[in-house]
Amino acid sequence: MEATITLYVDGGRHDLTVDTRTTLLDALRDRLGVTSPKKGCDHGQCGACTVLLEGRRVVSCLALAVAHDGARVTTAAGLAEEGRLHPVARAFVDHDGFQCGYCTPGQVCSAVGMLEEVAADWPSHVTEGLDAPVRLSDEEIRERMSGNLCRCGAYVNIVAAIREAAR
Amino acid sequence: MKPFDYSRPAEASAAVAAVAGDPGAAYIGGGTNLVDRMKLGVTEPTTLVDVRNLLSDRIEELPDGRIRVGGAVPNSDLAAHPEVRRRFPVLSQALLAGASGQLRNVATTGGNLLQRTRCVYFQNRAMPCNKREPGTGCSAVEGYGRYNAVLGASEHCVATHPSDMAVAMTALGARAHVLGPAGERTVDLPGLHRLPGAEPERDTVLEHGDLITAVDLPHLPLALRSTYRKVRNRASYAFALVSVAAALDVVDGTVVDARVAFGGLAHAPWRAHRAEEALRGGPATEEAFREAGRVELADADTGPDNAFKVPMAVNTLALVLRGLTDEEAR
């Protein structure tokens, strides 16, 4: 079973025909050659495939491409503007927030989406009280980023990078 | 993954007709659980009917004080809604204790209620499982039992319900609006999710083709002082071993009213009617809280892997109720 859909990826329009089983991740990587989002677990547990879908962070491996016809997708590569790294990506470089780098595009997209959520004053599991403004402590960063695993264990530097980018 | 047709009807009635008339059809909302099950081969729909853009994604305050949550409202938005945070802290906290930020941004209210157990045998097609393939047997009874149910299980199934949100809604007494082939009806929580009995393949009382279009949160001042506590293997992004949703009203050291539901203990979110009864009219003391927990867990059936859940449930309930009492005193 096939369907023809349109995706707007990192500012570019793509019309493509996909098998209905195709995930957004596979459409991006295998059909459009957009390899910034990575396939890790392919079950929504590791976060390596995180992209911004209509501005919100999601795991692209559990999204069916056919269900997101017409959607606007931003990957970590698409966050750069005029050849300059996005401030969050820059902070990952400055703080050595990775080792092998495989999880990094997902971490960066997740952090960008997460900082928007904090700006919108969304509480988290560790936020003290549901009515107080969120203060982005290291504990908050760790909780909010728990959907992104790093097998190299670069968490300390990832937290430092996000802490700086949040300033 | 097996091939499937995909459709996105414009009307709810058309969606219901499409699923009700096709035994191989399934609704898809956010897809965070369904697509995963399809990858695992645990669920193999031949048709997906997408209702994400069809159902309401709004949270409305009704004139009588209820809050109506559209079936497609993402978990993130429900958790962050100012009135939900203020009037139903237990619900916001339950949602925030579940899954990850990415999943909460997609998972819907209706889909969260209908997500299926993460029992490792249910999710593994190589193993017998009565829930996945009725009549094949239950691998969990003699197998890895850390997550197994301790209340209301049957010889056919010892799986636990995975949702945090549903535990809070069960404590609150939320009401699901259901559209089926015969029209609209409502189903209250508790009462939506069922115990396994001899039909563990049925998680809920809903029939094939039924669609949850919205969930109403009741006008319940008691819930102003409510909370959710989840105990798990790690600090974040894990399913509950035991969780407690509770609301408490204490006046002059006496419990006037209480709502309690447990997660992680049973095939359904477990409304603790016995504990509530034991608490009402009694002293708001540590010992009374523990006794209420013991009363609720009196019929617990445990094995070596999950016996820890009984003291864990009693301790967590006492901790939660003490916290709510201290909050009231402030």
Side-chain angles (χ1 to χ4, degrees), chain A residues 81-166:
Chain A
E81 279 184 26
E82 294 168 9
R84 294 167 60 96
L85 286 177
H86 185 279
V88 170
R90 182 75 247 168
F92 270 70
V93 174
D94 292 345
H95 287 270
D96 225 1
F98 48 80
Q99 194 178 119
C100 80
Y102 194 78
C103 72
T104 311
Q107 297 273 4
V108 169
C109 280
S110 187
V112 170
M114 181 273 277
L115 293 173
E116 289 289 321
E117 294 163 10
V118 171
D121 217 20
W122 286 10
S124 84
H125 173 63
V126 299
T127 306
E128 195 71 40
L130 291 169
D131 48 2
V134 176
R135 199 182 59 79
L136 195 64
S137 62
D138 286 3
E139 187 189 15
E140 284 276 5
I141 293 171
R142 287 178 180 277
E143 162 59 26
R144 290 169 187 268
M145 292 295 292
S146 70
N148 291 84
L149 304 185
C150 170
R151 289 294 296 272
C152 302
Y155 294 112
V156 171
N157 294 353
I158 290 170
V159 171
I162 294 173
R163 190 194 306 130
E164 176 174 299

Side-chain angles (χ1 to χ4, degrees), chain B residues 166 169-170 173-174 176 186-195 202-206 268-271 273:
Chain B
M169 287 185 174
T170 296
T186 59
V187 179
D188 289 349
L189 282 73
L192 171 66
H193 301 94
R194 56 185 296 285
L195 296 177
R202 295 185 61 208
D203 293 350
T204 70
V205 299
L206 300 185
W270 188 270
R271 179 71 176 271
H273 290 293

Side-chain angles (χ1 to χ4, degrees), chain B residues 22 32 60 97 100 118 148 154 159-160 166 194 203 215 248 269 325 330:
Chain B
D22 178 354
T32 52
E60 303 167 79
S100 66
R118 300 316 197 281
N148 287 2
S154 75
T160 46
R194 56 185 296 285
D203 293 350
V215 175
L248 192 69
T325 305
R330 277 202 295 272

Side-chain angles (χ1 to χ4, degrees), chain A residues 1 20-21 42-44 50 56-58 61-62 66-68 110 117 121-122 125 130 143 146 148, chain B residues 1-2 4-6 8 32 36 39 48 50 52 76-77 80 85 89 96 100 102 105-106 232 236-237:
Chain A
M1 328 291 175
T20 53
R21 291 171 287 184
D42 210 24
H43 287 281
T50 302
R56 290 162 73 116
R57 56 175 174 157
V58 307
C61 73
L62 294 183
V66 67
H68 295 281
S110 187
E117 294 163 10
D121 217 20
W122 286 10
H125 173 63
L130 291 169
E143 162 59 26
S146 70
N148 291 84
Chain B
M1 200 186 292
K2 292 268 175 71
F4 58 85
D5 284 317
Y6 171 89
R8 194 186 303 156
T32 52
D36 190 29
K39 289 184 177 190
L48 284 188
D50 193 338
R52 187 173 56 94
S76 292
D77 300 72
R85 284 153 72 172
L96 294 171
S100 66
Q102 289 99 313
N105 276 344
V106 177
R232 41 188 162 174
S236 185
Y237 201 14

Side-chain angles (χ1 to χ4, degrees), chain B residues 54-142:
Chain B
L54 174 68
L55 297 173
S56 166
D57 61 356
R58 285 178 305 161
I59 299 168
E60 303 167 79
E61 295 178 64
L62 304 183
D64 62 4
R66 284 178 296 162
I67 290 182
R68 179 156 297 168
V69 183
V73 171
N75 291 175
S76 292
D77 300 72
L78 183 55
H81 191 273
E83 280 302 290
V84 174
R85 284 153 72 172
R86 187 179 72 81
R87 289 177 52 192
F88 305 101
V90 63
L91 180 57
S92 278
Q93 289 170 357
L95 284 157
L96 294 171
S100 66
Q102 289 99 313
L103 295 176
R104 291 192 296 270
N105 276 344
V106 177
T108 62
T109 304
N112 187 316
L113 286 173
L114 300 179
Q115 64 176 306
R116 307 208 66 194
T117 187
R118 300 316 197 281
C119 174
V120 293
Y121 302 104
F122 174 72
Q123 296 200 99
N124 181 354
R125 287 212 317 179
M127 303 295 289
C129 169
N130 286 324
K131 184 180 279 298
R132 195 182 63 249
E133 283 183 75
T136 56
C138 175
S139 304
V141 170
E142 301 284 322

